């Protein structure tokens, strides 16, 4: 038991959230560089365009240079085991992103110093805020000066509603920065430029801010600006309050530049010191955390055909309590089956390694024989609890799809079934319509992904017709007869894969209209069920 707690305490499992182009790939790569997991930066980014892409497993991602699915990167640093959950970075993201955030214990919010808080950052921030996890801010691209740091702090508060506590502060004037000032240690760290364009870890000079040598190196103007700023922060800024950080009410803010390695290592070290070890998760029968004496984990992502040569399906699980051992048999609560976990894997880039054991906070990939679903629980044999509050996102865009060639119907149904199990799309059937499905997605890129994958992986061309609905509601109610619903013009009645009725409606306004006229009916944005006991 002590061993499990010791091991879990070393884990830091987090996700980096940002708007595209803020530098997430670059920062991730630099963290791997400092963590010793790679030896020359550029290898992750360069892989974007080669067949060895790190998180870009799918062809569509390579073509577009974006990451459609999430992956997990792991490395050790100064006694910590770091698990970085990679979230998709493109505009049009899916539920996958949100679900990945469920597996994280904290988040690093990456902001471009010139652009401040952008659209996607806001959405992802909200998910983290709702979960109440600590959020750390890294203001990137400091080598290319943008906005005033005080102004950025204000923006975080106005736009996101979170106050910031700067952990460090840029050193230099007018965008010409050559270091950062660490407030906790009252130390300046100046970076040597080495001409390698950030490919290697930078050497730096560290010392006390009052050391006259620094005044000399910095020059009077930069030194004065720094001391004025620090005085202002100390007097007018928030106190550092760990409780507030832990609840996601105060964000420790760091300045740096991922590309040139400014401040990356100090950030990593402070982050690991402050970020939480694996936090307990709520189950239907209490909590599961590092001091629980049983194994538990949940599935947060499923991906099929990650390796085209093997045609496999991988279910990614996050361990919440207990020790995972290769070959152990666990209860899969949702199917009621007992499953032997014989080939667990961990991932760094394309390299997979078999894991023998893992602890709370760790993420592992399991070969999925087709039984796992997103949000499913694994627990000790004979037990039946499940993890709560796993988000189900109501789809917002809908399309009718069918196989172009009716002879390919069998492959079409197989592909649709598998991709639904992955959680990439939700599939519905219109009663009495057999040849086509209606699919629902959160972001429209998923339509393209579906079309592409059906063709690549199942050899099926599809016809797709987007439908004019924006809201889905599962309907329940005593003695409900869906066909007797009133005022259902411009609605579509469907059944989900478990034959539960739902309706598609154009707008929230129309939903209100239908709701008012059907008082005995409950309209739910998520399916009305709980896992099987
Ligand atoms: P993303 O994953 O968040 O989408 O961003 P990514 O790391 O791909 O970075 C987006 C662009 O920003 C890249 O430039 C990258 O080099 C640049 N970048 C990242 N960090 C910094 C930084 O600290 N300073 C500056 N000045 N730029 C930074 P690109 O031109 O799109 O690609 P590349 O040709 O540099 O690879």
């Amino acid at each position: 038991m002590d061993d499990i707690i010791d091991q879990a305490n070393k884990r830091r499992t987090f996700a980096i959230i940002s708007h595209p182009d803020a530098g997430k790939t670059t920062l991730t790569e630099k963290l791997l560089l400092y963590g010793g997991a790679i030896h020359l930066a550029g290898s992750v980014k360069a892989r974007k365009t080669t067949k060895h892409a790190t998180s870009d497993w799918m062809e569509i991602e390579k073509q577009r240079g974006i990451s459609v699915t999430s992956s997990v990167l792991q490395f050790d640093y100064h006694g910590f085991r770091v698990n970085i959950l990679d979230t998709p970075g493109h505009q049009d993201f899916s539920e996958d992103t949100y679900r990945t955030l469920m597996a994280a214990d904290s988040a690093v919010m990456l902001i471009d110093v010139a652009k401040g808080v952008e659209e996607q950052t806001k959405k992802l921030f909200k998910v983290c805020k709702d979960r109440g996890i600590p959020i750390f801010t890294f203001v990137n691209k400091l080598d290319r000066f943008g906005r005033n740091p005080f102004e950025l702090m204000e923006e975080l508060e106005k736009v996101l509603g979170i106050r910031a506590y700067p952990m460090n502060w840029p050193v230099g004037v007018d965008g010409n920065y050559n270091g950062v000032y660490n407030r906790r240690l009252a130390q300046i760290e100046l970076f040597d430029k080495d001409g390698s364009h950030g490919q290697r870890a930078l050497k730096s000079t560290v010392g006390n801010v009052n050391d006259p040598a620094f005044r000399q190196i910095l020059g009077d103007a930069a030194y004065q600006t720094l001391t004025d700023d620090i005085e202002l922060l100390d007097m007018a800024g928030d106190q550092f309050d760990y409780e507030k950080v832990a609840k996601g009410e105060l964000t420790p803010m760091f300045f740096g530049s991922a590309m040139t390695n400014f401040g990356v290592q100090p950030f990593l070290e402070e982050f690991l010191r402050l970020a939480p070890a694996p936090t307990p998760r709520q189950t239907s029968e209490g909590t599961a955390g590092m001091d629980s004496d049983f194994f538990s984990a949940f599935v947060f992502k499923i991906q099929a055909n990650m390796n085209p040569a093997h045609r496999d399906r991988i279910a990614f699980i996050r361990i919440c309590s207990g020790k995972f051992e290769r070959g152990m048999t666990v209860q899969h609560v949702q199917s009621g089956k007992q499953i032997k976990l014989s080939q667990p894997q961990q991932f760094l880039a394309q390299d997979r390694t078999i894991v023998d054991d893992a602890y709370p906070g760790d993420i592992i990939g399991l070969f999925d024989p087709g039984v796992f679903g997103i949000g499913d629980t694994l627990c000790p044999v004979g037990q039946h609890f499940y993890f709560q509050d796993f988000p189900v996102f109501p789809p917002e865009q809908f399309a009718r799809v069918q196989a172009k060639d009716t002879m390919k119907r069998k492959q079409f149904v197989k592909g649709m079934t598998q991709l639904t199990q992955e959680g990439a799309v939700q599939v519905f059937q219109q009663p009495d319509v057999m040849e086509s499905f209606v699919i629902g997605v959160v972001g429209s890129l998923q339509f393209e992904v579906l079309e592409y994958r059906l063709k690549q992986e199942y050899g099926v061309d599809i016809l797709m017709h987007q439908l004019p609905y924006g809201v889905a509601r599962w309907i329940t109610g005593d003695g409900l007869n869906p066909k007797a619903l009133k005022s259902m013009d411009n609605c579509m009645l469907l059944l989900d894969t478990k034959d539960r009725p739902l309706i598609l409606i154009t707008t929230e306004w129309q939903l209100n209209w239908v709701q008012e006229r059907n008082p005995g009916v409950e309209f739910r944005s998520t399916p009305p069920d709980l896992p099987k006991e």
Side-chain angles (χ1 to χ4, degrees):
M1 194 64 226
D2 284 353
D3 171 49
I4 295 176
I5 295 176
D6 282 355
Q7 288 288 344
N9 268 321
K10 293 180 186 162
R11 265 60 182 176
R12 296 290 181 273
T13 303
F14 66 99
I16 303 178
I17 58 173
S18 66
H19 194 80
D21 267 353
K24 186 156 66 72
T25 313
T26 314
L27 180 66
T28 307
E29 181 177 82
K30 296 310 166 73
L31 295 177
L32 294 176
L33 177 71
Y34 281 97
I38 56 172
H39 299 292
L40 204 60
S43 37
V44 176
K45 284 205 72 148
R47 284 171 172 208
K48 263 189 179 173
T49 50
T50 72
K51 63 181 173 28
H52 301 299
T54 300
S55 49
D56 299 356
W57 277 298
M58 287 157 47
E59 197 63 32
I60 189 169
E61 299 174 326
K62 283 182 230 153
Q63 286 176 358
R64 296 171 154 234
I66 55 169
S67 174
V68 177
T69 53
S70 319
S71 63
V72 185
L73 301 167
Q74 187 180 67
F75 64 90
D76 290 324
Y77 185 82
H78 292 192
F80 289 102
R81 167 76 43 108
V82 183
N83 294 312
I84 307 180
L85 294 153
D86 184 16
T87 50
H90 51 83
Q91 300 268 4
D92 198 11
F93 59 105
S94 67
E95 298 150 85
D96 205 28
T97 317
Y98 291 113
R99 292 188 185 126
T100 295
L101 292 174
M102 292 301 293
D105 296 308
S106 61
V108 171
M109 174 166 70
L110 188 67
I111 285 177
D112 183 322
V113 68
K115 295 185 177 156
V117 177
E118 296 176 85
E119 216 37 53
Q120 185 159 322
T121 322
K122 280 193 226 167
K123 289 194 207 171
L124 294 164
F125 175 87
K126 185 166 183 312
V127 181
C128 297
K129 179 93 178 150
D130 289 349
R131 276 200 56 213
I133 60 174
I135 300 163
F136 296 78
T137 303
F138 186 90
V139 181
N140 192 28
K141 307 198 184 181
L142 206 68
D143 56 303
R144 208 177 54 179
F145 185 60
R147 302 184 25 203
N148 180 299
F150 285 111
E151 202 183 297
L152 287 168
M153 287 171 68
E154 209 176 297
E155 182 165 300
L156 292 186
E157 181 163 10
K158 281 216 179 105
V159 180
L160 302 177
I162 191 164
R163 291 183 69 88
Y165 179 90
M167 304 295 291
N168 67 10
W169 200 251
V171 175
V173 272
D174 296 335
N176 200 1
Y177 292 111
N178 57 347
V180 282
Y181 168 75
N182 180 324
R183 291 180 71 197
R184 184 170 65 91
L185 304 174
Q187 268 185 355
I188 288 187
E189 180 163 12
L190 300 180
F191 298 96
D192 295 343
K193 296 198 173 152
D194 69 353
S196 79
H197 299 286
Q199 278 196 315
R200 294 190 172 77
L202 280 190
K203 288 203 193 90
S204 64
T205 315
V206 184
N208 190 286
V209 69
N210 298 318
D211 183 341
F214 280 111
R215 189 176 191 125
Q216 214 171 8
I217 301 172
L218 292 177
D220 283 344
Y223 192 82
Q224 196 57 46
T225 308
L226 178 68
T227 42
D228 289 352
D229 283 0
I230 297 304
E231 199 178 305
L232 186 61
L233 281 178
D234 287 346
M235 276 171 43
D238 285 56
Q239 295 291 313
F240 185 81
D241 180 339
Y242 188 74
E243 289 296 304
K244 285 191 180 164
V245 172
K247 283 193 248 162
E249 293 167 4
L250 181 72
T251 177
M253 188 182 199
F254 300 80
F255 292 85
S257 159
M259 192 179 76
T260 57
N261 295 339
F262 261 36
V264 172
Q265 193 169 19
F267 162 71
L268 177 61
E269 289 176 6
E270 282 289 284
F271 169 74
L272 294 176
R273 191 175 69 84
L274 294 171
T279 38
R281 304 301 176 109
Q282 205 59 39
T283 76
S284 52
E285 288 177 13
T287 54
M290 62 168 98
D291 51 2
S292 309
D293 58 0
F294 52 86
F295 170 81
S296 69
F298 63 82
V299 178
F300 66 94
K301 170 187 165 63
I302 293 179
Q303 192 174 347
N305 307 330
M306 247 167 56
N307 179 347
H310 290 110
R311 289 230 144 224
D312 47 10
R313 243 167 75 107
I314 304 283
F316 288 89
I317 61 168
R318 140 102 200 196
I319 299 172
C320 298
S321 68
K323 181 177 177 183
F324 170 93
E325 284 168 337
R326 175 143 76 110
M328 76 195 289
T329 300
V330 297
Q331 184 81 39
H332 174 238
V333 176
Q334 278 69 11
S335 69
K337 287 187 180 151
Q338 293 179 11
I339 297 178
K340 187 169 167 103
L341 308 177
S342 46
Q343 279 202 300
Q345 306 197 9
Q346 270 166 343
F347 297 83
L348 173 63
Q350 191 74 343
D351 312 324
R352 303 177 177 195
T353 44
I354 299 284
V355 242
D356 290 321
D357 45 34
Y359 295 89
D362 284 341
I363 308 294
I364 47 183
L366 302 174
F367 277 110
D368 176 14
V371 296
F372 295 128
I374 307 277
D376 285 3
T377 302
L378 298 179
C379 69
V381 170
Q383 293 197 32
H384 293 282
F385 63 81
Y386 51 89
F387 286 95
Q388 291 183 320
D389 303 330
F390 203 87
V392 177
F393 296 96
E396 290 171 3
Q397 301 193 44
F398 304 88
R400 183 186 293 288
V401 289
Q402 70 185 86
K404 226 178 225 172
D405 178 355
T406 45
M407 303 296 284
K408 297 240 167 133
R409 187 175 154 73
K410 211 170 146 199
Q411 290 97 306
F412 171 60
V413 172
K414 184 173 171 215
M416 290 295 287
T417 310
Q418 291 208 347
L419 296 176
T420 315
Q421 282 167 347
E422 270 185 45
V425 293
Q426 295 187 42
V427 174
F428 311 110
Q429 191 95 52
Q430 214 176 346
D432 311 325
V433 179
M434 293 316 292
E435 68 282 2
S436 68
F437 292 107
V438 171
I439 56 170
V441 297
V442 177
S444 63
L445 184 79
Q446 293 304 315
F447 286 140
E448 267 179 67
V449 172
L450 177 86
E451 189 169 3
Y452 187 87
R453 292 188 61 185
L454 281 171
K455 187 171 172 57
Q456 292 299 310
E457 295 165 25
Y458 303 91
V460 183
D461 282 311
I462 55 169
L463 294 170
M464 182 158 8
H465 170 66
Q466 218 161 325
L467 299 169
Y469 303 107
V471 180
R473 286 292 180 274
W474 276 262
I475 44 179
T476 55
D478 288 341
L480 173 73
N481 171 6
K483 290 189 180 147
L485 281 170
K486 296 194 179 78
S487 302
M488 289 276 291
D489 315 343
N490 300 323
C491 294
M492 183 183 268
L493 181 70
L494 298 171
L495 296 173
D496 71 8
T497 47
K498 293 183 183 158
D499 279 342
R500 295 169 297 202
L502 71 155
I503 51 169
L504 302 188
I505 309 176
T506 49
T507 59
E508 292 280 342
W509 186 87
Q510 196 200 358
L511 172 66
N512 288 338
W513 168 272
V514 174
Q515 263 174 326
E516 277 169 21
R517 278 152 191 80
N518 296 278
V521 180
E522 196 190 343
F523 294 81
R524 304 171 52 122
S525 57
T526 52
D529 78 345
L530 288 172
K532 274 188 238 144
E533 288 291 321

